[in-house]
Amino acid sequence: MLYLNDRDLREVGLDWPALVESVESTVRIMDSGDYAQPVKPYLRYNNPRNRIIAMPAYAGGEVNAAGIKWISSFPDNIQAGLPRAHSIIVLNNPATGEPSAILNSPMPSIVRTASISGLMIRYFIEARPLVRIHLGIIGWGPIGQYHFQMAAALYGDRIESIRIFDIRGADLSGIPPIYRDRIEVAKTWADVYRHSNIFITCTVSNHRYIDLPPAKGSLLLNVSLRDYKPEALASVKAIIVDDWDEVCRENTDIEQLHLEQGLTCEGTRTITDVVSRRCFADFAADEPIFFCPMGMAVFDIATAVYYVKIAREKGIGTELE
C-alpha cells in the first residue's frame, strides 16, 4: 500500500479547482445512490468535550473506493500547543477489501472541508451573481486559514474585502501582498458578521454567541456547527444540510433549531439539491442561505483518492509491503 504523511501531501500541493471538482463529482455520485455511508459514531471517554470519530464510506462512480477516516477532536489541545485534530484515512480496494493506501495527516480533512465550502460558494454566485464579495471568517486556525486560501484561489478577483476575527488574535503575516490592503482583523465577531455577504464560522467555540439575524442575501457557511443561537436563525427559510440524519444531533445548530424552532428534515434542502437541482434559485434574492455540514465520509474518501492518484503520478510517498 502507499503511505503518505503530512510532508508528502504538502508536496502534492493544492489545486483548488481540481479539489472542488472532486467533491462536486462525489455529490453527483451520492445523488445517483451509488454510495454507502453509515451514520458515524462518536467515541467519548473521560472529558466529554473530546471525541474520536469513525467515518466509514464507499463511493462508486469514478471514485470507486471504500475506506474510513478516524479523526480525533480534542479542543483543549490548543492550550497545550498541540493541534486540535488528528486524522488518518485508510483506503481499501472496493473489490477485494485490501488496504491500498494510508494517509496520515489532517490535511485531507481540512482540504475536504474547505472544498465543500468552495463548492457552495460556486453555486451561490451562480444563483446570485455578486458584483463583489465581502468575505468574513470567524476563527483563524487551520480551517479558517485554508478557507481563506481556497476563497482567494477560486474567487480572488471578486473579493473586495476580507474581515477576520479570532478571540486569540489573528496573525496575517502569511497573507499574500495582493490581499493586504483588502484584509483587516476586526475587533468583534459582530463587526465581521454585519459586513460580510459570505460569512464562514471556523471556531472551536464551546458556546453559541451569534445572536443577530443575518444580513439579507448572505451565504452563511456554518463549518464549526455550534455558533448560532436559534433565535438568530428563526426567520431563515433557506437551510441546507449535507445529511439530515448526520447533522441533527450532537448539539449542532441544526439540532437546536429542530428542538427549539421546530425545524424538520422537510424544511431543509441538501447539498445534492444544490448541485443536481440548483435549488439556490428557488429562494428570493434577499433570503440568507444557511449551510450547516456535519462532514461526510464520502468526501473524505474522494479527497484521499485524489491525493493518492496525484502522489502515484509524481512518485511521492512510501510503498509498503
Side-chain angles (χ1 to χ4, degrees):
M1 73 182 84
L2 182 65
Y3 176 84
L4 298 171
N5 60 22
D6 197 67
R7 182 179 60 254
D8 297 327
L9 295 173
R10 292 182 187 280
E11 188 177 350
V12 169
L14 289 171
D15 183 340
W16 287 111
L19 287 160
V20 172
E21 181 64 32
S22 174
V23 295
E24 181 171 20
S25 297
T26 307
V27 173
R28 297 188 189 280
I29 290 169
M30 289 171 55
D31 201 42
S32 76
D34 188 16
Y35 79 107
Q37 180 181 263
V39 173
K40 56 193 178 189
Y42 282 55
L43 174 65
R44 285 192 169 90
Y45 54 90
N46 299 330
N47 184 345
R49 288 190 68 204
N50 300 334
R51 65 258 191 200
I52 308 180
I53 310 168
M55 298 176 62
Y58 161 75
E62 60 195 55
V63 176
N64 192 34
I68 186 168
K69 181 173 79 172
W70 181 239
I71 181 167
S72 65
S73 178
F74 283 50
D76 293 337
N77 278 3
I78 294 172
Q79 277 68 50
L82 297 171
R84 177 184 64 85
H86 294 83
S87 175
I88 189 167
I89 298 175
V90 179
L91 293 180
N92 297 79
N93 183 314
T96 66
E98 296 172 288
S100 59
I102 292 178
L103 293 79
N104 183 12
S105 168
M107 184 168 299
S109 187
I110 295 170
V111 167
R112 174 269 278 169
T113 303
S115 298
I116 292 295
S117 295
L119 181 64
M120 297 299 288
I121 294 172
R122 174 189 293 177
Y123 280 87
F124 179 73
I125 290 174
E126 177 188 280
R128 304 176 180 183
L130 299 173
V131 176
R132 307 304 286 169
I133 291 173
H134 298 279
L135 179 67
I137 300 174
I138 305 294
W140 195 240
I143 299 289
Q145 292 178 43
Y146 271 81
H147 269 79
F148 165 77
Q149 289 183 38
M150 172 276 296
L154 296 176
Y155 310 108
D157 60 337
R158 292 174 174 261
I159 296 175
E160 184 167 293
S161 67
I162 307 155
R163 290 178 173 85
I164 308 295
F165 175 76
D166 192 302
I167 58 173
R168 298 181 302 275
D171 180 2
L172 303 184
S173 60
I175 298 296
I178 190 174
Y179 295 106
R180 298 258 170 89
D181 62 345
R182 288 182 260 173
I183 192 167
E184 67 174 86
V185 178
K187 295 181 179 178
T188 69
W189 65 264
D191 290 338
V192 180
Y193 187 60
R194 289 192 182 101
H195 298 99
S196 303
N197 53 15
I198 295 179
F199 178 76
I200 312 173
T201 53
C202 304
T203 75
V204 291
S205 178
N206 59 8
H207 69 280
R208 292 175 168 83
Y209 55 93
I210 298 176
D211 54 5
L212 302 171
K216 289 185 177 181
S218 58
L219 174 64
L220 313 174
L221 299 173
N222 188 25
V223 173
S224 42
L225 296 169
R226 301 169 185 91
D227 298 85
Y228 291 81
K229 295 184 177 182
E231 58 267 27
L233 301 168
S235 64
V236 177
K237 300 179 180 64
I239 297 178
I240 316 294
V241 299
D242 49 7
D243 182 276
W244 174 265
D245 292 331
E246 282 283 8
V247 78
C248 189
R249 62 193 183 109
E250 291 291 333
N251 191 33
T252 64
D253 292 340
I254 291 293
E255 184 182 31
Q256 293 307 306
L257 284 171
H258 171 63
L259 295 174
E260 297 190 23
Q261 303 287 343
L263 180 68
T264 64
C265 178
E266 291 71 25
T268 65
R269 305 288 186 92
T270 67
I271 193 169
T272 54
D273 292 324
V274 173
V275 171
S276 297
R277 285 164 285 285
R278 286 175 160 74
C279 71
F280 281 170
D282 297 340
F283 302 111
D286 63 350
E287 178 66 35
I289 294 176
F290 180 69
F291 177 53
C292 195
M294 189 65 148
M296 298 185 70
V298 287
F299 298 129
D300 291 294
I301 300 305
T303 302
V305 166
Y306 166 84
Y307 270 111
V308 168
K309 178 178 181 293
I310 302 300
R312 288 194 184 279
E313 289 174 353
K314 294 184 174 182
I316 296 170
T318 304
E319 290 285 353
L320 304 178
E321 296 182 358

